[in-house]
Amino acid sequence: MAGLTGQWEQALSEEFTKDYYKKLFNYIREEYSKETIYPKSGDIFNAFHLTPLEKVKVVILGQDPYHNPGQAHGLCFSVKPGVEAPPSLVNIYKELQDDIGCSIPNHGYLNEWAEQGVLLLNTVLTVQAHKPMSHRGVGWEQFTDAVIRKVNEIERPVVFILWGKPAQQKESMLTNPKHLILKAPHPSPLSAYRGFFGSKPFSQANDFLVKNGSEPVQWQITNI
């Protein structure tokens, strides 16, 4: 696993010395040696590489990586150019269009969001091929909980977008009154019509950021 750098490395250095993380590291290393695991090992921490701690202004919390070939690359809900947008991302784009009028891009690569300070974090960072949630309970949740707590400690206002029950279970960690918490059902086709559509997370996030003196996120993804 490629290591963290900069403020993320400093903020999470204690986690790397804990027993759970040592067990997690050894378990994941063994999994990569004998199974097909996504994303590639060098991509596991891409969300942190693209969105340094000091630049985080929005956190979008997903569950675990996509489990089909060529999809996962370390950013929740994102796929690389040339890979068909999965159904959840299609619904995210629909809500983005309805909310603030963005045109739907011709790809599903969300790096433009990440580079603007949108931390695209899954609660579990790896998965076996074709086996969703197969790495649940092996230690990733403890690590990403530590990440969430570090972002919660940031003194400038941050928006947390929690889609679905697993993400919303993290709300109890978000104790800093300076932050905004937006909750809605998951964008999956199974739940999007139960309140994800019409939740307007993108306009609400930008209104909050502007109100608190931060640059809004340019949510429009550029076509390739």
Side-chain angles (χ1 to χ4, degrees):
M1 296 188 284
L4 298 181
T5 58
Q7 287 193 6
W8 281 123
E9 182 182 26
Q10 296 170 27
L12 298 168
S13 60
E14 287 186 14
E15 299 304 307
F16 300 131
T17 66
K18 293 179 179 178
D19 286 343
Y20 88 87
Y21 191 86
K22 295 173 184 176
K23 292 176 183 176
L24 169 65
F25 182 90
N26 290 330
Y27 176 83
I28 295 300
R29 183 171 58 182
E30 184 176 352
E31 282 282 276
Y32 273 99
S33 72
K34 66 182 184 181
E35 304 283 353
T36 300
I37 305 297
Y38 301 128
K40 294 178 180 178
S41 61
D43 289 343
I44 292 173
F45 291 133
N46 272 351
F48 304 95
H49 300 323
L50 287 171
T51 311
L53 179 57
E54 62 269 27
K55 292 187 177 181
V56 174
K57 60 175 68 173
V58 177
V59 178
I60 296 179
L61 197 57
Q63 297 180 29
D64 70 332
Y66 294 127
H67 55 86
N68 290 325
Q71 293 181 320
H73 66 98
L75 305 181
C76 73
F77 297 109
S78 179
V79 291
K80 285 191 173 181
V83 178
E84 183 179 0
S88 291
L89 181 55
V90 169
N91 286 340
I92 290 169
Y93 282 165
K94 286 179 182 177
E95 178 61 21
L96 184 63
Q97 185 177 53
D98 290 344
D99 185 6
I100 56 177
C102 289
S103 61
I104 295 176
N106 61 3
H107 63 94
Y109 192 33
L110 303 181
N111 68 316
E112 288 181 71
W113 292 359
E115 290 172 348
Q116 292 181 75
V118 181
L119 181 64
L120 296 166
L121 180 68
N122 279 312
T123 58
V124 174
L125 301 187
T126 54
V127 68
Q128 283 188 17
H130 312 299
K131 295 182 180 179
M133 300 306 290
S134 49
H135 283 173
R136 177 172 51 188
V138 302
W140 280 129
E141 292 94 339
Q142 192 168 343
F143 178 75
T144 54
D145 281 359
V147 173
I148 294 166
R149 290 190 182 97
K150 289 299 180 183
V151 179
N152 179 63
E153 291 172 5
I154 294 174
E155 283 305 305
R156 54 186 167 73
V158 174
V159 181
F160 289 85
I161 298 177
L162 309 180
W163 289 331
K165 286 185 179 179
Q168 290 167 19
Q169 288 170 352
K170 309 298 184 183
E171 184 180 5
S172 61
M173 292 186 283
L174 306 179
T175 57
N176 190 332
K178 293 187 177 182
H179 303 326
L180 175 66
I181 301 169
L182 300 176
K183 298 183 291 183
H186 195 274
S188 160
L190 297 174
S191 56
Y193 288 94
R194 299 175 191 161
F196 172 77
F197 289 132
S199 59
K200 301 187 180 300
F202 307 102
S203 59
Q204 288 191 76
N206 275 357
D207 288 348
F208 176 80
L209 291 171
V210 171
K211 178 182 175 182
N212 286 280
S214 295
E215 285 290 317
V217 176
Q218 300 300 318
W219 293 106
Q220 178 68 63
I221 298 290
T222 308
N223 280 337
I224 294 177

